[in-house]
Amino acid sequence: MAYDSENIFARILRGEIPCNKIYEDDHTLAFYDIAPQAETHVLVIPKGAYVSLDDFSEHASDVEIAALIKTVGKIARDLNLVEDGYRILSNMGKNGGQEVPHLHIHLFGGEPLGPMLTK
Ligand code: AMP
């Protein structure tokens, strides 16, 4: 999947449309999903133009890669998800059901999350 600079998360990063921001640093942005699928549903994205984890791991700098992981952990701690547990998930491409072609990590929590896959 090619990077489309008009994707919704690119537009959020450019400030063209709003988001419900939780945290931002030089390399990452965390915000609430607009259509939450759990009591707590956050998206963590890199600021760079990466479509997927394979793209990110091949082309991003070590600093960007570390920043994304650190932000996911920070959000889990800051939203008090650690004690009861939480789940991260990232959809890639057609089989992964990816809708927005900008790498994003879903962070779910706040309630029991059920089986890993629905099938
Ligand atoms: P995926 O199917 O993994 O690509 O997930 C895309 C996610 O982006 C979905 O959970 C959507 O609800 C979410 N989403 C789409 N537009 C927005 C937006 N403007 N602000 C926050 N979340 C969004």
Side-chain angles (χ1 to χ4, degrees):
M1 193 183 284
Y3 191 82
D4 172 7
S5 60
E6 291 305 310
N7 79 72
I8 196 93
F9 297 164
R11 297 189 64 204
I12 287 174
L13 286 166
R14 289 197 296 268
E16 294 171 5
I17 58 170
C19 71
N20 191 354
K21 182 166 78 176
I22 302 168
Y23 172 77
E24 180 175 16
D25 61 25
D26 287 349
H27 300 292
T28 65
L29 176 67
F31 53 100
Y32 287 103
D33 196 290
I34 203 167
Q37 296 190 39
E39 182 69 26
T40 301
H41 184 175
V42 174
L43 298 170
V44 182
I45 65 173
K47 288 188 170 178
Y50 305 104
V51 179
S52 61
L53 193 69
D54 44 280
D55 179 23
F56 186 62
S57 65
E58 186 176 5
H59 298 113
S61 69
D62 290 353
V63 171
E64 290 173 287
I65 292 169
L68 189 69
I69 298 299
K70 283 174 172 281
T71 295
V72 172
K74 176 179 170 50
I75 297 301
R77 293 190 302 275
D78 289 356
L79 298 185
N80 297 313
L81 300 176
V82 174
E83 184 173 342
D84 288 342
Y86 58 98
R87 178 177 294 162
I88 63 170
L89 178 151
S90 189
N91 297 315
M92 296 330 143
K94 178 166 59 74
N95 282 359
Q98 183 177 8
E99 293 171 2
V100 180
H102 182 113
L103 173 62
H104 49 285
I105 296 179
H106 296 262
L107 198 165
F108 302 103
E111 62 181 328
L113 295 165
M116 189 161 58
L117 295 175
T118 51
K119 67 178 181 181

Short mmCIF file of all heavy atoms in Angstrom, two decimals, residues 12-13 15 17-25 28-33 42-43 45 47 71 75 79:
data_model
loop_
_atom_site.label_atom_id
_atom_site.label_comp_id
_atom_site.label_asym_id
_atom_site.label_seq_id
_atom_site.Cartn_x
_atom_site.Cartn_y
_atom_site.Cartn_z
N ILE A 12 -4.59 15.04 10.19
CA ILE A 12 -4.55 15.37 11.63
C ILE A 12 -3.17 15.90 11.98
O ILE A 12 -3.03 16.92 12.67
CB ILE A 12 -4.92 14.13 12.47
CG1 ILE A 12 -6.43 13.86 12.37
CG2 ILE A 12 -4.48 14.30 13.92
CD1 ILE A 12 -6.89 12.58 13.03
N LEU A 13 -2.12 15.23 11.51
CA LEU A 13 -0.75 15.67 11.82
C LEU A 13 -0.46 17.07 11.28
O LEU A 13 0.29 17.84 11.90
CB LEU A 13 0.27 14.67 11.27
CG LEU A 13 0.38 13.35 12.03
CD1 LEU A 13 1.15 12.32 11.22
CD2 LEU A 13 1.03 13.56 13.39
N GLY A 15 -2.63 19.36 11.16
CA GLY A 15 -3.53 20.30 11.84
C GLY A 15 -4.72 20.70 10.99
O GLY A 15 -5.41 21.66 11.33
N ILE A 17 -7.41 18.80 10.40
CA ILE A 17 -8.63 18.38 11.10
C ILE A 17 -8.24 18.07 12.55
O ILE A 17 -7.09 17.71 12.83
CB ILE A 17 -9.32 17.17 10.43
CG1 ILE A 17 -8.37 15.99 10.35
CG2 ILE A 17 -9.85 17.52 9.07
CD1 ILE A 17 -9.08 14.73 9.91
N PRO A 18 -9.20 18.24 13.46
CA PRO A 18 -8.87 18.08 14.88
C PRO A 18 -8.81 16.62 15.29
O PRO A 18 -9.30 15.73 14.60
CB PRO A 18 -10.05 18.77 15.58
CG PRO A 18 -11.18 18.64 14.62
CD PRO A 18 -10.60 18.65 13.24
N CYS A 19 -8.20 16.40 16.45
CA CYS A 19 -8.27 15.09 17.09
C CYS A 19 -8.35 15.33 18.58
O CYS A 19 -8.06 16.42 19.07
CB CYS A 19 -7.05 14.23 16.73
SG CYS A 19 -5.52 14.80 17.51
N ASN A 20 -8.75 14.29 19.28
CA ASN A 20 -8.83 14.36 20.75
C ASN A 20 -7.48 13.89 21.28
O ASN A 20 -7.30 12.72 21.62
CB ASN A 20 -9.99 13.48 21.23
CG ASN A 20 -10.30 13.71 22.69
OD1 ASN A 20 -9.59 14.44 23.39
ND2 ASN A 20 -11.36 13.09 23.15
N LYS A 21 -6.55 14.82 21.34
CA LYS A 21 -5.14 14.48 21.63
C LYS A 21 -4.92 14.13 23.09
O LYS A 21 -5.43 14.79 23.98
CB LYS A 21 -4.25 15.67 21.23
CG LYS A 21 -2.76 15.43 21.43
CD LYS A 21 -1.92 16.48 20.73
CE LYS A 21 -1.89 17.76 21.50
NZ LYS A 21 -0.98 18.75 20.85
N ILE A 22 -4.09 13.12 23.30
CA ILE A 22 -3.68 12.72 24.64
C ILE A 22 -2.23 13.13 24.89
O ILE A 22 -1.88 13.61 25.96
CB ILE A 22 -3.80 11.19 24.82
CG1 ILE A 22 -5.23 10.74 24.56
CG2 ILE A 22 -3.34 10.77 26.21
CD1 ILE A 22 -5.38 9.23 24.43
N TYR A 23 -1.40 12.96 23.87
CA TYR A 23 0.04 13.18 24.07
C TYR A 23 0.69 13.41 22.70
O TYR A 23 0.27 12.83 21.70
CB TYR A 23 0.67 11.94 24.72
CG TYR A 23 2.17 11.99 24.80
CD1 TYR A 23 2.81 12.76 25.76
CD2 TYR A 23 2.95 11.26 23.91
CE1 TYR A 23 4.20 12.82 25.83
CE2 TYR A 23 4.34 11.31 23.97
CZ TYR A 23 4.95 12.10 24.92
OH TYR A 23 6.31 12.15 24.98
N GLU A 24 1.72 14.23 22.72
CA GLU A 24 2.48 14.49 21.49
C GLU A 24 3.92 14.75 21.86
O GLU A 24 4.21 15.39 22.88
CB GLU A 24 1.89 15.72 20.79
CG GLU A 24 2.59 16.11 19.52
CD GLU A 24 1.91 17.27 18.81
OE1 GLU A 24 1.07 17.96 19.45
OE2 GLU A 24 2.21 17.48 17.63
N ASP A 25 4.84 14.23 21.07
CA ASP A 25 6.25 14.63 21.21
C ASP A 25 6.82 14.81 19.80
O ASP A 25 6.06 14.90 18.82
CB ASP A 25 7.04 13.63 22.08
CG ASP A 25 7.07 12.22 21.50
OD1 ASP A 25 6.92 12.07 20.26
OD2 ASP A 25 7.26 11.26 22.27
N THR A 28 5.89 11.34 17.80
CA THR A 28 4.65 10.56 17.92
C THR A 28 3.47 11.45 18.33
O THR A 28 3.65 12.52 18.90
CB THR A 28 4.79 9.44 18.98
OG1 THR A 28 4.96 10.02 20.27
CG2 THR A 28 5.95 8.53 18.67
N LEU A 29 2.28 10.92 18.05
CA LEU A 29 1.03 11.56 18.48
C LEU A 29 0.11 10.44 18.96
O LEU A 29 0.00 9.40 18.31
CB LEU A 29 0.40 12.29 17.29
CG LEU A 29 -0.97 12.94 17.52
CD1 LEU A 29 -0.87 14.11 18.50
CD2 LEU A 29 -1.57 13.43 16.20
N ALA A 30 -0.55 10.68 20.09
CA ALA A 30 -1.54 9.73 20.62
C ALA A 30 -2.86 10.47 20.78
O ALA A 30 -2.91 11.58 21.32
CB ALA A 30 -1.07 9.16 21.95
N PHE A 31 -3.94 9.85 20.30
CA PHE A 31 -5.26 10.48 20.37
C PHE A 31 -6.32 9.39 20.46
O PHE A 31 -6.08 8.23 20.10
CB PHE A 31 -5.50 11.40 19.16
CG PHE A 31 -5.29 10.75 17.81
CD1 PHE A 31 -6.37 10.29 17.06
CD2 PHE A 31 -4.02 10.59 17.28
CE1 PHE A 31 -6.19 9.70 15.82
CE2 PHE A 31 -3.81 10.00 16.04
CZ PHE A 31 -4.90 9.55 15.31
N TYR A 32 -7.51 9.80 20.93
CA TYR A 32 -8.60 8.83 21.06
C TYR A 32 -9.19 8.49 19.70
O TYR A 32 -9.38 9.38 18.85
CB TYR A 32 -9.69 9.37 21.97
CG TYR A 32 -9.29 9.39 23.43
CD1 TYR A 32 -8.91 10.56 24.06
CD2 TYR A 32 -9.27 8.20 24.16
CE1 TYR A 32 -8.53 10.56 25.40
CE2 TYR A 32 -8.89 8.19 25.50
CZ TYR A 32 -8.53 9.37 26.11
OH TYR A 32 -8.14 9.36 27.41
N ASP A 33 -9.48 7.19 19.52
CA ASP A 33 -10.16 6.76 18.30
C ASP A 33 -11.55 7.38 18.24
O ASP A 33 -12.27 7.44 19.24
CB ASP A 33 -10.24 5.22 18.26
CG ASP A 33 -10.57 4.71 16.87
OD1 ASP A 33 -11.72 4.90 16.41
OD2 ASP A 33 -9.67 4.10 16.24
N VAL A 42 -7.30 4.04 22.07
CA VAL A 42 -6.37 5.11 21.70
C VAL A 42 -5.61 4.69 20.44
O VAL A 42 -5.37 3.49 20.23
CB VAL A 42 -5.37 5.33 22.87
CG1 VAL A 42 -4.28 6.34 22.48
CG2 VAL A 42 -6.12 5.80 24.12
N LEU A 43 -5.25 5.66 19.63
CA LEU A 43 -4.37 5.41 18.49
C LEU A 43 -3.04 6.11 18.74
O LEU A 43 -3.03 7.28 19.15
CB LEU A 43 -5.00 5.96 17.20
CG LEU A 43 -6.33 5.32 16.80
CD1 LEU A 43 -6.97 6.11 15.67
CD2 LEU A 43 -6.14 3.87 16.40
N ILE A 45 0.47 7.05 16.75
CA ILE A 45 1.03 7.09 15.40
C ILE A 45 2.40 7.77 15.39
O ILE A 45 2.65 8.66 16.21
CB ILE A 45 0.09 7.81 14.39
CG1 ILE A 45 -0.08 9.29 14.72
CG2 ILE A 45 -1.26 7.12 14.34
CD1 ILE A 45 -0.86 10.07 13.65
N LYS A 47 4.95 10.41 13.58
CA LYS A 47 4.70 11.61 12.79
C LYS A 47 5.22 11.48 11.36
O LYS A 47 4.77 12.21 10.47
CB LYS A 47 5.34 12.82 13.48
CG LYS A 47 4.57 13.23 14.73
CD LYS A 47 5.07 14.54 15.30
CE LYS A 47 4.13 15.02 16.40
NZ LYS A 47 4.60 16.28 17.01
N THR A 71 5.99 5.75 23.54
CA THR A 71 4.69 6.43 23.68
C THR A 71 3.58 5.44 24.00
O THR A 71 2.72 5.73 24.84
CB THR A 71 4.37 7.25 22.41
OG1 THR A 71 5.34 8.27 22.28
CG2 THR A 71 2.98 7.86 22.48
N ILE A 75 1.34 5.87 27.37
CA ILE A 75 -0.12 6.02 27.36
C ILE A 75 -0.76 4.95 28.24
O ILE A 75 -1.69 5.23 29.00
CB ILE A 75 -0.67 5.92 25.91
CG1 ILE A 75 -0.11 7.06 25.05
CG2 ILE A 75 -2.20 5.94 25.92
CD1 ILE A 75 -0.41 8.45 25.53
N LEU A 79 -2.92 6.30 31.37
CA LEU A 79 -4.37 6.05 31.40
C LEU A 79 -4.73 4.94 32.39
O LEU A 79 -5.85 4.43 32.37
CB LEU A 79 -4.88 5.73 30.00
CG LEU A 79 -4.73 6.83 28.95
CD1 LEU A 79 -5.39 6.43 27.63
CD2 LEU A 79 -5.31 8.15 29.44
#
